[in-house]
Each structure stands twice: as structure tokens, then as C-alpha cells.
Amino acid sequence: MSVELSIEFFPPQTREGVAKLRAEREKLAALKPGFFSVTYGAGGSTRERTSAIVKEIVAEGFEAAPHLSCIGSSRAGILELLDEFKASGIRRIVALRGDLPSGMADPGELRYANELVEFIRDVAGDAFQIIVAAYPEWHPQARSPEIDLQNFVRKAKAGANAAITQYFYNADAYFHFVEKVRALGVDIPIIPGIMPILGFSKLARFSDACGADIPRWMRRTFESYGDDTAAIRAFGLEVVTRLCERLLHGGAPGLHFYSMNTAALTAEIWRRLGVR
Ligand code: FAD
């Protein structure tokens, strides 16, 4: 089976981190991903670092998709960045609202991702393929699942070409989301975001904050392993590989891995899936 793979990095803060990411990227390049994406700190905190990494990826001969969040930014600032991306050979952007960093009061000129998508289409036409975020378990701030769904449709209709989901460990949530979206007439590919499991306590804290559910049976199993990192790694690999298999058999158009700048787990899951 042939499956579109994409892999996400975050921009490291130190020179050592950048060098380590280069080495991890080299290992992941062997999987021949469709593109690597690089996150962007809301409010522009990683602007230079995100740009530097995507340019490096393009120079290595791979497709790179910078993430771009609009919260706390001006139209002029975003336009400047879009021009820079275009000049660097970037053809794909992950367009997000982001979350206003603490201490920053001004939400800026574009308040939601649908407004950013509209803005990119207005100023750049079809120069970029635009990918947006999707939430099969619903965005944590959404007033209701129905409203969140309508807001997702708004982003698609504003001109998004594809979506990548927040990570989840319950395949039914993904299938339910896709079914609801299709019933509303939206047919863009919705690519599952996959979070390999490096350790449990950090993942549990992060999942609570971003609204991703870790099912009770998984939570209890991880907790029972205590500090046994080998057991946690083995169980994490098993459940995430099985999740990917279910998603692909159920028609998911590809997989997007949140690599956390580490190659080993993503590469191992990909190997176990046995796909090209
Ligand atoms: P929106 O789509 O704008 O939605 C945000 C909330 O507002 C939702 O509750 C929605 O229902 C509601 N809403 C949407 N549109 C409207 C409207 N027009 N009127 C009223 N309400 C509305 N964060 C980063 O800071 N940097 C990154 O690089 C990054 N990458 C990500 C990549 C992926 C694949 C995903 C899934 C998330 C990523 N995030 C990133 C996190 C994301 O920024 C947060 O989840 C943020 O809270 C929402 O961004 P969004 O683009 O989904 O927002």
C-alpha cells in the first residue's frame, strides 16, 4: 500500500538542538515523506527559527511546510512572511489561529484561522497549498461540537486544501469527524495527526491541555508500568501502530507524525506498518 507521509518538527532553541534535528531529519528523510512541517510560536516568537529550518529543509531537496499562526499578528507582518516563504520556494503552509501567549493582550488583526486562510488566498492566490487544523475530539475552547464543526467548514470553504488533525488515540472519533464533515459537503483530505508515545506523564499533561483524550485502558496500562521506560515504549509502539493500521484501513488519506524532533519512534511505526 502507498500512503502519503508527513512529519512535523518544532524549531529548536539552541545550536545543539538544531544540529540534533539535522541528524534526526536525515534518518527520517529515508522514509521519503511528502513534506516536513515546522511549527510556529504564536505571536511570532519563533518567526526567524521557523523560517531558518524550512529554508534548510528546502535546500536539502525536500518539501517544507511552515506553520503560520495569525493570533497577535498584523496583516502587514503576515504578508511579509508570505513573501519571504514564496521567495524561498515554499509552496505549502499550515495555517492556524494559534493561542495568544500569556502576557500578550492584543489578538491582532486576524482572530480566527478562517480569516487567515481568506487573507492568504486574497494576497497570494493559489501560490500556496493551505492546510488547516482539525479536531476529531473537538477544540478545547469550542462552545459545542456542532459549532466547532461549523467553524471547521468555514476554514475549508475559505480555501483550505487539506487538514491535519490534532492527535487522538480513538480511531472512532476520527471516522465520526470525517463523516460529519463530508455530510456538510466538505471533501478535502483530512489527515490524521499521529503522536508517538515517548513517555506517559508528559503526554498526559499535554493531552489535558490540548483536549486530546487518552482512553482509560491506555492510561491505566501506562500507569502500571511506573518508571519502566522499555515497557512504556513497547506498549506505546503497539497501540499507535494499531491505531495507524485502523485509520489506513478505514480510508485515511495519509499520516502526519508529530515527531517531537526524534526519528526513532516515527521510523519504527512506519516500518511496522509496512507501507511505502
Ligand atoms: P481556529 O480554527 O481559529 O479555531 C479556534 C477556536 O475558535 C475553535 O474553538 C473554533 O471552534 C473557534 N472558531 C473558529 N473560527 C471561528 C469564528 N470565525 N468565529 C467564532 N469562533 C471560531 N499552535 C501553534 O502555536 N503553533 C503551531 O505551529 C501549531 N501547529 C498545529 C498544527 C496542527 C496540525 C494542530 C491540530 C494544531 C496546531 N497548533 C499550533 C495548535 C493550535 O494553534 C491551537 O489548537 C489553537 O487553539 C487553535 O488554532 P486553529 O487554527 O485550530 O484555530
Side-chain angles (χ1 to χ4, degrees), residues 8 38-43 67-71 94-99 111-115 131-135 139-144 147-149 151-152 154-155 163-167 193 210 256 258:
E8 181 171 315
V38 183
T39 63
Y40 183 89
H67 294 207
L68 173 57
S69 67
C70 59
I71 198 101
V94 181
L96 305 143
R97 181 197 72 176
D99 294 306
R111 291 166 312 144
Y112 294 103
N114 68 290
E115 296 173 14
I131 302 173
V132 291
Y135 300 86
H139 185 266
Q141 292 157 4
R143 294 223 309 276
S144 75
I147 292 174
D148 209 26
L149 203 57
N151 286 329
F152 176 76
R154 218 193 282 264
K155 288 194 280 198
I164 295 174
T165 75
Q166 181 58 278
Y167 69 89
C210 70
H256 177 83
Y258 295 107

Side-chain angles (χ1 to χ4, degrees), residues 50-100:
T50 299
S51 282
I53 305 272
V54 291
K55 284 176 193 165
E56 214 178 290
I57 294 171
V58 170
E60 287 165 1
F62 286 92
E63 276 209 41
H67 294 207
L68 173 57
S69 67
C70 59
I71 198 101
S73 305
S74 65
R75 286 188 176 84
I78 291 171
L79 183 56
E80 202 178 289
L81 204 46
L82 292 173
D83 286 342
E84 185 185 327
F85 289 151
K86 217 188 298 176
S88 312
I90 303 292
R91 296 288 168 262
R92 198 179 325 229
I93 285 176
V94 181
L96 305 143
R97 181 197 72 176
D99 294 306
L100 203 58

Side-chain angles (χ1 to χ4, degrees), residues 137-138 166-169 204 206-214 219:
E137 295 177 326
W138 313 117
Q166 181 58 278
Y167 69 89
F168 55 87
Y169 295 105
F206 189 55
S207 301
D208 286 343
C210 70
D213 184 48
I214 303 182
R219 227 175 238 273

